[in-house]
Amino acid sequence: MTQKNRLQGGQIDRDITLKFTFDGKQYEGHQGDTLASALLANDVRLMGRSFKYHRPRGPLTAGSEEPNAIVELRGGARQEPNTRATTAELYNGLMAKSQNRWPSLAFDAMAINDRFSNFLTAGFYYKTFMWPAAFWEKLYEPIIRKAAGLGSLSMKDDPDVYDKGYRHCDLLIIGAGPSGLMAALTAGRAGKEVILADEDFRMGGRLNSETLRIDEAPAADWAAQAVAELGTMRNVRLMPRTTVIGAFDHGIYGAVERVSDHLHTPDAGKPRQILWRIYAPKTILCAGATERPIAFENNDRPGIMLASAIRSYANRWAATPAKRIAIFTNNDDGHKTATDLHAHGVQIAAVVDTRADAPLNENYHVLRGAQVVDTKGRLGLTFAEVKQADGTMRTLECGALGVSGGWNPNVHLTCHQRGRPEWNEALAAFVPGGTLPPGMSVAGAANGDMSTHAALTTGAAAAKKALGLKGKAAKAPHAEDAPVTQTPFWYVEGCSRAWLDQQNDVTVKDVKLSHQEGFRSVEHLKRYTTLGMATDQGKTSNMGGLAIMAELAGKAIPEVGTTIFRPPYTPTAIGVMAGRMKGMEFHPTRLTPSHFWAKERGAVFVEVGNWLRAQWFPIEGETHWRESVDREVKATRNSVGVCDCTTLGKIDVQGTDAATFLNKVYCNGFAKLAVGKTRYGLMLREDGIAMDDGTAGRLAEDHFVVTTTTANAAKVYQHMEFVRQCLFPDMDAQLISTTEAWAQYAVAGPNSRKLLQKIVDPEFDISNDAFPFMACGNITVCGGLRARLFRISFSGELAFEIAVPSRYGDALMRKLMQEGKEFDVVPYGTEALGVMRIEKGHAAGNELNGTTTANNLGMGRMVSKAKDSIGSKLSERSGLNEDDALKQVGIKPVDPSKRITAGGHLMNADGPVDAKHDQGYVTSAAFSPTLNSMIGLGFLKDGGNRLGEKMRLVSPVTDLTVAVEIVSAHFVDPEGERVRA
């Protein structure tokens, strides 16, 4: 298989041949190629279609600023849309497809849009699809959505891994061209911690694309030698394939490293990409410059490229888009391309130079004062029409046309914190302004210093200044130092379809229309025409559009200004922003001490905040979760069950003022709580709304253990610390969260005491007389292991909660299950826990929902009048204590076979069903195997006086209407005899 347009030389490894496919056809390239360079070497110029008109397009550039050669890589779940062929490294087996075309790239039926371009001008979508209104949803919107977008998603889970990381340095250098390499050498030799990041896989920047010499050596060799020296420095970190996507606050930079994009599949255990957060007190931006095109009629055909890109393909990748090439330029840089191509044996049709005094060259013909006014070629360039200085026309036969309109410094990162660039008249371009991100300086072409010598010297000087290095700077290598001036030439007069933004099909005519219709602000121009809104963010189009708008408005370009540059600098995969945070790693997962035991038992787990808790424990023969939950509830109420409740927040409160402190935090009293006793406590917000509930056990005069709900553990701890530090800083009370320090299990059921007596050391009497309901104390178990025991119940049964240091949690669970065999002990999960708490009428997160008060919860009498506490005064507001205030009640269906739904609303038995007549709502619902019926908890207006009333439960969302009876919230053991047994 021959590569028709492969040249001699270059920086590719011809010993390694790589096979790849494009649109199903197989080609060959070499190690070091990009997809674009390999396709050009195989005489493939057509690589894509434009967004709106579906015009044929080939690569315009050779870098990340590419607007045209956008393809889909890979297949299956790894399919990656909207990838720039100019930056995609070639690897063996690479599979690429063109996109935004149907049925094929060569014949795209949607190209019919180009025939109707007069009706699809800028802003047409603001003026059409307006009538008839009924057509929008059924006709217009589906058509627009189908046509929108470029690539396609596989709709499968991405199998690759993405990661995030943090790095720190004394100096971050962005860009590894001549200025970046010189800055890194200066800082590295001084012993500073340096990170050198470059988006290319080969460091060296433009030096890899030029034939110039540095210190009498080829520029690419000097760059390779500099990179090799930096690689030997332990204080320098080289980061190729890394794009710095944004400059953020406090010296933080976001950088995406493409770790495995150049491989067929990532190596085992390796991520595809990493998003780095780099902390750098000083940064030097050495991002170089981007060549700008010239707009003329039909300047978008495949084969029309930036002159510097053609030079890069020839010098670095030994590829040419055609054997006969013309150049259209307004500066000397276009002649560099012609000279290099001629040296490679490429025939130069002519150099068309707009300047009347353009330099002549014996190796090719120069057309002074001429302009390219049109081109021909359906799927690729074949001819260029040239208007000569004397007005005569000349046709140039060529397969490619290199266009050079000057260079724009890459100022984007300097503007990410609202800085504005400044106009440089000599360059006819914007350069970095005076307001840069703190700690940033700019060197080389990015700062408007376009010669190689200037890039080298400014890079070294910037590093020396940024780091405060003393002494004389090292002599910069010898390199060309020709002055660079640019005479602006933005577009050819008289053209009607001259393309500015080639991806979004924005033309000179569109900019004129925007001006004509009053959209003259640069931000309005951008949105009206979509100029600069493509995946390249206007890197090759914005300047031309701004210049034309300035001309139409009769203003200078700096008066028109620029749009705001925003991160990311180049398109960035959403996957890398998420990193590993997907699926079970969406957030950190906390495991209970009994997790691995529960996993062995086949538990089904549920996420509760960050915790992973056992939801139920199915056994052989059970086919539905309700079977498992019902069994666990019955077994616990009939004998004994064990539940891991480690996730409840646990806060140690110690100090001589510990009781006084808790008296302020809880609305009920704790000052007189005896040592060895536990008390239920209700915590209010400052506005009197219930915040959380829990218990506080007094282990000593100056030591309490406070428990909180799982959901509010962190919030309550934060609240208590605020109270301690800000409201009562003089109190002797110290807090520490011990949630993870202690493994805690609820042992509930009539045989719970008998089970615990088998593991509690005999010197501790836990009989009802010695250890009554609400008792607590320090004990030992299993022959001396320290533990804590609390006689509290969330199930309504005789119950205890036993805690041991977390390291022994797994062993304790296994011990309990082993010793409980004679009692048919069962583990129960959060579902059974929830069922039993509803049966008992305990409030939980559904009831403590941020809108309820102690009065609503039926705990109004708990708010002590004898002391002051947070929220107690505001809880007395009349609006929170009206006669018909919501009160917590129990709800059961009149027909036990009917369903109760949490979120349903309570309505009178007769009358309208609307918000005005709403009487209350259901907060929690479950099937009670104890009562063999659905039951629920909820809030009802004046609920305490409406027990026994028949009402309707309605849920318009689920189309449910059920006759229910209002009952006490305490369905099981309302007198509390079981918990005191």
Side-chain angles (χ1 to χ4, degrees):
M1 187 178 295
T2 61
Q3 298 176 42
K4 178 180 177 182
N5 287 343
R6 184 67 77 181
L7 304 175
Q8 297 299 311
Q11 298 166 33
I12 56 175
D13 188 347
R14 297 174 190 266
D15 292 334
I16 302 178
T17 298
L18 306 175
K19 294 185 177 181
F20 69 100
T21 62
F22 180 64
D23 280 347
K25 185 176 180 180
Q26 191 172 83
Y27 300 94
E28 289 183 353
H30 297 290
Q31 189 77 40
D33 263 323
T34 64
L35 175 60
S37 68
L39 285 172
L40 290 175
N42 284 276
D43 197 27
V44 177
R45 294 176 297 171
L46 176 62
M47 299 184 195
R49 291 277 179 166
S50 65
F51 173 63
K52 186 163 67 172
Y53 297 136
H54 288 251
R55 286 174 65 90
R57 294 283 162 79
L60 176 68
T61 73
S64 63
E65 65 273 20
E66 176 59 36
N68 291 338
I70 311 296
V71 300
E72 289 180 0
L73 291 187
R74 304 178 177 86
R78 284 193 166 89
Q79 180 173 308
E80 179 189 350
N82 301 332
T83 304
R84 289 150 292 172
T86 52
T87 61
E89 293 180 57
L90 197 68
Y91 57 79
N92 200 47
L94 181 146
M95 182 176 68
K97 295 187 299 182
S98 57
Q99 56 186 37
N100 196 42
R101 84 291 186 279
W102 181 84
S104 69
L105 183 60
F107 179 77
D108 182 4
M110 289 298 290
I112 191 69
N113 288 359
D114 198 30
R115 301 289 185 182
F116 294 95
S117 59
N118 287 337
F119 300 98
L120 303 176
T121 57
F124 81 95
Y125 30 76
Y126 297 128
K127 306 171 186 176
T128 53
F129 312 120
M130 304 296 289
W131 54 271
F135 279 28
W136 172 253
E137 186 175 354
K138 301 296 184 182
L139 179 63
Y140 298 148
E141 185 178 13
I143 292 175
I144 293 171
R145 288 193 178 278
K146 187 173 179 62
L150 293 171
S152 60
L153 297 175
S154 68
M155 306 308 292
K156 299 177 182 178
D157 290 340
D158 189 343
D160 293 328
V161 174
Y162 301 84
D163 214 337
K164 294 183 180 181
Y166 299 82
R167 283 188 171 158
H168 301 259
C169 59
D170 298 320
L171 178 65
L172 169 64
I173 301 170
I174 304 170
S179 57
L181 291 174
M182 202 64 200
L185 288 170
T186 302
R189 290 166 179 168
K192 300 297 183 180
E193 294 292 327
V194 179
I195 291 177
L196 176 61
D198 193 276
E199 65 182 357
D200 204 337
F201 59 91
R202 184 184 181 97
M203 289 187 163
R206 283 300 305 174
L207 298 181
N208 292 323
S209 299
E210 304 293 353
T211 55
L212 53 85
R213 305 181 73 82
I214 298 178
D215 276 350
E216 303 306 321
D221 292 350
W222 181 90
Q225 185 177 9
V227 172
E229 179 183 346
L230 291 169
T232 65
M233 299 181 186
R234 299 185 64 181
N235 56 309
V236 176
R237 182 182 294 275
L238 300 177
M239 296 184 69
R241 301 186 179 95
T242 302
T243 302
V244 177
I245 59 171
F248 304 99
D249 293 339
H250 314 300
I252 299 173
Y253 291 81
V256 174
E257 181 180 8
R258 302 183 303 280
V259 178
S260 305
D261 279 3
H262 61 295
L263 305 175
H264 186 277
T265 54
D267 293 335
K270 294 291 186 181
R272 179 190 163 202
Q273 296 179 358
I274 300 175
L275 176 61
W276 293 104
R277 179 181 288 194
I278 300 176
Y279 292 77
K282 298 294 181 181
T283 302
I284 303 177
L285 179 63
C286 306
T290 298
E291 193 169 28
R292 60 197 184 206
I294 299 172
F296 53 91
E297 192 81 10
N298 294 310
N299 62 323
D300 63 330
R301 300 191 192 280
I304 301 177
M305 305 164 65
L306 295 177
S308 61
I310 294 180
R311 191 159 78 244
S312 293
Y313 287 116
N315 292 333
R316 177 175 173 180
W317 289 291
T320 178
K323 294 296 187 181
R324 180 179 172 85
I325 297 178
I327 304 295
F328 181 27
T329 184
N330 70 337
N331 63 87
D332 291 345
D333 203 75
H335 291 261
K336 284 185 185 179
T337 300
T339 300
D340 288 356
L341 290 175
H342 179 269
H344 279 288
V346 177
Q347 186 178 357
I348 305 301
V351 173
V352 181
D353 197 317
T354 61
R355 299 171 296 176
D357 58 349
L360 301 177
N361 192 295
E362 62 182 10
N363 295 319
Y364 50 80
H365 188 52
V366 178
L367 301 179
R368 288 175 164 176
Q371 301 174 12
V372 175
V373 295
D374 200 356
T375 63
K376 290 182 170 59
R378 191 175 72 87
L379 297 179
L381 180 68
T382 54
F383 296 97
E385 298 291 336
V386 178
K387 182 178 182 180
Q388 301 185 99
D390 61 1
T392 60
M393 299 299 296
R394 178 173 176 175
T395 300
L396 299 177
E397 182 180 356
C398 53
L401 174 65
V403 181
S404 178
W407 292 80
N408 293 324
N410 291 325
V411 301
H412 304 69
L413 288 173
T414 69
C415 303
H416 279 184
Q417 295 185 26
R418 307 294 291 185
R420 292 283 188 173
E422 297 175 351
W423 182 253
N424 183 308
E425 196 64 44
L427 293 176
F430 283 102
V431 297
T435 304
L436 302 177
M440 177 185 280
S441 54
V442 190
N447 202 40
D449 300 307
M450 296 294 184
S451 73
T452 307
H453 181 266
L456 294 168
T457 55
T458 58
K464 189 170 182 293
K465 181 178 180 181
L467 298 172
L469 301 178
K470 304 298 182 182
K472 188 176 180 181
K475 185 179 179 181
H478 177 73
E480 62 84 21
D481 192 24
V484 176
T485 58
Q486 298 180 162
T487 302
F489 185 84
W490 307 108
Y491 71 105
V492 174
E493 293 281 355
C495 55
S496 61
R497 302 195 78 193
W499 307 90
L500 296 169
D501 189 320
Q502 296 201 13
Q503 187 177 119
N504 278 355
D505 286 324
V506 180
T507 66
V508 172
K509 180 182 176 182
D510 291 328
V511 176
K512 293 179 177 179
L513 180 63
S514 178
H515 177 270
Q516 177 182 326
E517 298 200 355
F519 295 96
R520 300 172 184 178
S521 160
V522 289
E523 297 292 352
H524 291 164
L525 168 66
K526 175 180 178 178
R527 286 153 182 83
Y528 186 73
T529 64
T530 70
L531 176 75
M533 293 176 66
T535 56
D536 70 321
Q537 296 185 7
K539 292 181 177 65
T540 59
S541 60
N542 273 355
M543 273 305 304
L546 298 178
I548 295 166
M549 179 60 77
E551 178 183 297
L552 294 170
K555 298 180 180 179
I557 292 177
E559 292 181 85
V560 173
T562 63
T563 55
I564 292 293
F565 297 107
R566 299 181 178 90
Y569 175 67
T570 56
T572 302
I574 294 177
V576 78
M577 294 184 179
R580 295 181 181 269
M581 296 169 60
K582 67 175 185 177
M584 287 305 297
E585 294 184 351
F586 181 71
H587 52 63
T589 301
R590 302 164 76 181
L591 305 181
T592 61
S594 66
H595 176 82
F596 294 104
W597 174 87
K599 192 173 181 181
E600 293 169 12
R601 290 288 295 257
V604 175
F605 294 95
V606 62
E607 292 184 51
V608 182
N610 286 342
W611 290 99
L612 205 59
R613 297 188 68 180
Q615 197 170 13
W616 63 80
F617 293 83
I619 62 175
E620 188 176 353
E622 292 176 344
T623 59
H624 191 273
W625 66 271
R626 267 277 309 280
E627 294 177 283
S628 303
V629 173
D630 290 354
R631 172 183 51 80
E632 291 169 13
V633 172
K634 290 177 180 178
T636 300
R637 294 211 182 278
N638 291 331
S639 182
V640 61
V642 180
C643 179
D644 190 332
C645 57
T646 302
T647 62
L648 294 175
K650 294 180 282 292
I651 302 169
D652 254 37
V653 183
Q654 298 188 32
T656 56
D657 294 324
T660 306
F661 173 77
L662 292 180
N663 234 22
K664 296 293 185 183
V665 172
Y666 286 108
C667 66
N668 52 319
F670 278 85
K672 298 179 180 179
L673 182 65
V675 174
K677 293 293 183 180
T678 304
R679 181 167 292 169
Y680 177 84
L682 183 64
M683 196 176 294
L684 305 181
R685 300 189 321 215
E686 291 183 344
D687 60 0
I689 300 296
M691 177 183 181
D692 196 64
D693 71 340
T695 62
R698 193 168 194 171
L699 299 179
E701 286 290 339
D702 59 354
H703 185 188
F704 288 78
V705 174
V706 170
T707 66
T708 75
T709 59
T710 298
N712 288 332
K715 185 168 71 173
V716 169
Y717 182 61
Q718 181 184 38
H719 171 68
M720 291 175 68
E721 276 290 0
F722 170 77
V723 174
R724 183 184 72 84
Q725 295 181 36
C726 301
L727 302 184
F728 304 106
D730 296 331
M731 283 190 182
D732 176 23
Q734 306 302 320
L735 312 178
I736 187 169
S737 173
T738 59
T739 302
E740 292 87 353
W742 292 87
Q744 194 152 319
Y745 298 99
V747 183
N751 289 320
S752 57
R753 183 184 290 113
K754 293 178 182 179
L755 172 55
L756 287 175
Q757 284 173 334
K758 298 184 69 173
I759 67 167
V760 173
D761 291 341
E763 59 265 33
F764 297 97
D765 184 358
I766 61 171
S767 66
N768 194 42
D769 292 335
F771 204 80
F773 180 56
M774 300 303 282
C776 68
N778 290 308
I779 61 170
T780 60
V781 298
C782 302
L785 175 63
R786 67 190 180 103
R788 292 170 175 173
L789 188 64
F790 306 86
R791 190 173 166 188
I792 52 180
S793 177
F794 198 56
S795 61
E797 297 293 332
L798 168 65
F800 299 80
E801 289 189 12
I802 184 169
V804 296
S806 289
R807 72 180 70 179
Y808 303 107
D810 181 82
L812 178 61
M813 186 63 169
R814 295 177 191 273
K815 183 68 173 176
L816 287 168
M817 299 310 293
Q818 178 185 346
E819 297 295 339
K821 286 181 180 179
E822 67 174 283
F823 308 114
D824 296 322
V825 66
V826 296
Y828 65 92
T830 56
E831 284 295 327
L833 179 72
V835 170
M836 288 189 282
R837 76 96 182 166
I838 294 173
E839 289 178 338
K840 186 57 181 173
H842 279 306
N846 291 15
E847 289 71 46
L848 301 170
N849 56 26
T851 66
T852 53
T853 66
N855 184 41
N856 299 144
L857 294 165
M859 302 178 189
R861 294 172 61 185
M862 284 183 63
V863 183
S864 175
K865 307 295 184 182
K867 69 179 183 78
D868 186 25
S869 62
I870 294 173
S872 61
K873 292 300 181 185
L874 287 182
S875 72
E876 297 174 2
R877 287 177 290 169
S878 59
L880 301 181
N881 295 275
E882 295 176 343
D883 292 340
D884 65 343
L886 293 170
K887 293 292 179 68
Q888 183 173 313
V889 295
I891 302 153
K892 68 177 186 179
V894 174
D895 180 351
S897 66
K898 296 298 184 181
R899 185 163 56 98
I900 290 180
T901 303
H905 286 257
L906 296 169
M907 300 287 174
N908 291 322
D910 300 305
V913 175
D914 54 34
K916 183 178 180 180
H917 295 85
D918 190 6
Q919 299 297 299
Y921 59 96
V922 181
T923 54
S924 302
F927 177 81
S928 168
T930 307
L931 303 176
N932 196 31
S933 171
M934 287 286 293
I935 59 173
L937 298 178
F939 294 103
L940 178 65
K941 292 180 180 179
D942 194 23
N945 295 320
R946 300 175 72 173
L947 300 185
E949 184 175 336
K950 302 294 193 298
M951 303 191 74
R952 284 177 296 169
L953 171 65
V954 299
S955 176
V957 174
T958 58
D959 194 26
L960 177 72
T961 301
V962 178
V964 297
E965 181 182 356
I966 306 303
V967 297
S968 166
H970 311 296
F971 294 93
V972 173
D973 190 28
E975 302 301 325
E977 294 179 357
R978 297 185 188 183
V979 298
R980 293 177 172 82

